[in-house]
Amino acid sequence: MLVRLIYASRTTQPITGDMVDALLNISREHNAGSGITGILCYSDSVFVQALEGSRQAVNQLYAKIVADARHTEVTLLDYVEIAARHYQAWNMAKVKLDKVNLSLLLKYSDKPQLDPFAVTGKATAALLEELATTAVCTSRG
């Protein structure tokens, strides 16, 4: 059985390109062996991530994320059983939101900025899917 989990978190320090690259390198290595695919979206201090895979693999990874001291306010936004993956092409894609047309953010939010804590989980899921399908992902693994 496949599931998709979407969470948001704030970071304990500002997000840098080096931080994201290091995180993605580790994620891609781990995810390939665990059958996890997904997308990571970020701004200055907020991460939003969708994880897809078996229930056990996704739950185990989410538990590690919740316990990671680099995250605060880890919030589960959406958790659903899925018939097919949305992000099957990526062990982990990334989207830096300062590269995204602000009108896309306004489509799902009342402000042109990433604030997954202020919108529904379904709106966040729709935003992530649109980001993936409009090819704004800046790196594929």
Side-chain angles (χ1 to χ4, degrees):
M1 167 192 314
L2 292 173
V3 298
R4 181 181 65 232
L5 180 151
I6 300 174
Y7 77 90
S9 68
R10 297 189 194 282
T11 59
T12 56
Q13 55 188 315
I15 297 172
T16 65
D18 289 341
M19 174 195 296
V20 172
D21 289 343
L23 178 65
L24 287 173
N25 288 336
I26 292 167
S27 296
R28 289 176 178 146
E29 184 177 312
H30 172 266
N31 293 353
S34 299
I36 293 176
T37 56
I39 186 170
L40 174 68
C41 215
Y42 63 99
S43 64
D44 294 331
S45 63
V46 175
F47 281 121
V48 177
Q49 188 170 35
L51 304 170
E52 300 172 325
S54 73
R55 181 183 300 177
Q56 180 180 2
V58 168
N59 289 351
Q60 286 175 347
L61 179 54
Y62 182 64
K64 288 180 183 178
I65 291 165
V66 169
D68 189 327
R70 295 173 292 183
H71 297 272
T72 63
E73 297 180 51
V74 180
T75 304
L76 181 64
L77 301 175
D78 195 40
Y79 187 96
V80 296
E81 294 176 357
I82 54 175
R85 296 173 190 256
H86 292 283
Y87 311 108
Q88 69 275 4
W90 305 300
N91 287 336
M92 192 54 59
K94 74 174 181 179
V95 177
K96 185 172 183 191
L97 283 176
D98 66 356
K99 306 289 185 194
V100 173
N101 186 325
L102 297 181
S103 65
L104 180 59
L105 294 174
L106 282 171
K107 182 175 178 179
Y108 299 102
S109 175
D110 61 349
K111 296 181 273 186
Q113 64 189 35
L114 179 65
D115 188 1
F117 302 98
V119 299
T120 67
K122 298 297 181 200
T124 301
L127 171 64
L128 292 177
E129 287 177 29
E130 188 161 348
L131 289 169
T133 59
T134 57
V136 297
C137 298
T138 57
S139 179
R140 297 180 181 191

